Amino acid sequence: MLRRRRHEVLTSLPPLQLVELPLELESADASNVIQEFSIRCMHGSWEGVATAWERTGLCKARAAREVLKDKLSICTDAGQAAVIFVRHHRVRASVERCLAHDLPGVRVASMTGD
């Protein structure tokens, strides 16, 4: 496999900026996720959720809604692009639903082709 760095592909790209924002998760975030995805809780685990990472990602997607809305609004107003990386399909779907509802002018391009 050939790996090319972003500056080798398109020299006009600005430097990569990684931003880490701490999010506070509330029990309501978990409750909303359980309801939204019809997840059954059995003996402390979530049936149908593969890993604790996916469970956390689903809860974070809901908690990050306002942050995403603010940051992406700034990007779209400035005519800039933004990239959001997500690991799990359901987390991506949750983020896409939030964006479609809160920022209908934002175009979402998926790397998976669906």
Side-chain angles (χ1 to χ4, degrees):
M1 178 198 283
L2 174 65
R3 180 167 187 250
R4 296 168 53 190
R5 299 196 182 274
R6 55 190 240 113
H7 68 273
E8 296 170 338
V9 176
L10 187 58
T11 57
S12 63
L13 288 174
L16 180 65
Q17 295 179 4
L18 297 178
V19 178
E20 291 186 24
L21 298 170
L23 296 173
E24 290 187 32
L25 299 179
E26 299 176 6
S27 58
D29 296 319
S31 298
N32 290 335
V33 167
I34 289 168
Q35 184 177 11
E36 178 181 349
F37 291 97
S38 302
I39 296 169
R40 291 183 4 174
C41 293
M42 303 285 291
H43 309 293
S45 67
W46 291 14
E47 188 176 288
V49 178
T51 64
W53 290 103
E54 182 180 10
R55 178 177 15 183
T56 303
L58 288 168
C59 292
K60 280 184 181 178
R62 293 195 63 86
R65 187 176 191 152
E66 290 304 313
V67 173
L68 284 174
K69 199 163 63 170
D70 291 344
K71 297 294 183 187
L72 293 176
S73 292
I74 291 168
C75 285
T76 55
D77 290 348
Q80 298 173 333
V83 178
I84 301 170
F85 291 98
V86 295
R87 182 180 302 260
H88 301 284
H89 295 292
R90 286 193 287 191
V91 176
R92 186 193 78 221
S94 180
V95 169
E96 287 174 349
R97 276 194 299 280
C98 289
L99 293 177
H101 181 267
D102 295 339
L103 295 168
V106 171
R107 184 180 68 88
V108 177
S110 173
M111 295 294 289
T112 62
D114 55 340

